[in-house]
Amino acid sequence: MSELQTIDARNRETEEQVRFPVAEELGSRFAQAGHQLYLVGGTVRDALLGRLGNDFDFATDARPERVRELLTGWADAIWDTGIAFGTMGASKRGATVEITTFRTDAYDRMSRNPEVRFGSSIEEDLVRRDFTVNAMAIDLATRKLVDPHDGRAALRKRILDTPATPQESFNDDPLRMMRAVRFVSQLGFDVAPRVLDAIGDMAGQLERITAERVQVELSKLLCGRFPRRGLELMVDTGLAEIVLPEVPAMRLEIDEHHQHKDVYQHSLVVLDQAVDLEEPDTEPDLVLRLAALLHDIGKPATRRFVEGGGVSFHHHEVVGAKMVRKRLRALRYSKDVIEEVAQLVYLHLRFHGYGKGEWTDSAVRRYVTDAGPLLPRLHKLVRADCTTRNRRKAAALQRTYDDLETRISRIAAEEDLARVRPDLDGNEIMRLLGLPPGPLVGRAWRYLKELRLDRGPLEHDDAIAELRKWAENEGITPTGD
């Protein structure tokens, strides 16, 4: 049985079986035109692991314009956004394909992009790839595996190694160091000792790479199956000092007189527990995972030793939220991601004032209102932040949070907490007080919202009376209805 048939048989047990005919059709089309076509890279790796997706990568001796001609009339859609790098893209029956002309790229090792050079053989193409597990191909004409760098053996051993020396590979593209730790997170692989040594020696080269490209790899790492393993490798090799220096900074020295949790290890445990709290069969939650990892990054800056022993981290959530915004902006995350992660970091300690249920309904409303649409994530973050080894204490904390969630559900059912607004809208405020649009209307609106949070919904007449009382205190003489 050929390599392609072996992989296809494995995938016939799943819903993936319709996808290999796409590769076979393309192989026949290219062969009839006198061209070679290979399945390559991550497509082959994932297929051998039994986790083939809906995207296919191919390599060919045909030049891009010729590839376009061969795709025309076969593909449902064609795009050429990668043509400068020799790549044409297409879709067919829900599958996405990218076909790249054989390349033998050259790097000047100063710029961030290679000088694209087309090659003449699959072997030349494979040697330029990042890791041996990604340097395999399947010849669609013969159905045979092309594996000049023993990638399949590395796949069996679950080891990441480079086709060339790691020094050559990382000098060509330092981002490959981040790809290594990303694959550790996604695939659970180990890194070959020589690769590990090279990353440790060359981590500083990552500064040659744009923040946007680094951020993409970091996000993929965080959304992998084993994010903690990837992050630990980043810290151990020095990559984190370039990408997320606040994370290794959490490894605070702890002496026998000032005991507190190892903040770094605690944060990794919180990340693990947050991942476990994600709903099954859903996409990984990047915002939650970033918040879990970074929720305590304000602790090193706020640590104070207390006279007589002990240590404090007052307002570390406030400092941490500011640090999160600064770091995630530097990594070019979107504004929405930055604000959501920062708000979760800012709010993660709020629950600890709940005690044994001493909060008033007003405090519960404020908790919900301040969290807004982040409330489900905040629930997970707070629960994940319970890392005490004392089982009784841990169980008590979880019961207390259960009680808070029950109260939130009760009040939400009674008052529609998802949309807490004043009992009078802006138009009514202007009508009742005889005010034109402007700052005074906004102040009145905010006053009524605070009242709504404190006391819950008011009867309409009571809300009007409170508005008039506020206006009197502000020296405003109502001239409206």
Side-chain angles (χ1 to χ4, degrees), residues 466-480:
E466 291 293 343
L467 175 64
R468 294 187 183 281
K469 186 187 301 182
W470 172 84
E472 182 180 347
N473 290 336
E474 293 290 317
I476 300 170
T477 302
T479 60

Side-chain angles (χ1 to χ4, degrees), residues 127-158:
V127 75
R128 55 170 281 276
R129 294 179 179 264
D130 52 5
F131 301 105
T132 59
V133 295
N134 297 329
M136 296 181 283
I138 294 175
D139 187 336
L140 291 173
T142 65
R143 311 292 183 88
K144 298 296 184 183
L145 182 70
V146 181
D147 185 15
H149 305 287
D150 293 325
R152 185 151 196 191
L155 201 61
R156 291 194 190 99
K157 296 176 183 176
R158 307 183 75 78

Side-chain angles (χ1 to χ4, degrees), residues 381-395:
L381 178 60
V382 173
R383 289 185 181 277
D385 195 25
C386 176
T387 62
T388 177
R389 294 180 182 179
N390 184 319
R391 292 185 179 181
R392 292 180 62 185
K393 183 178 179 181

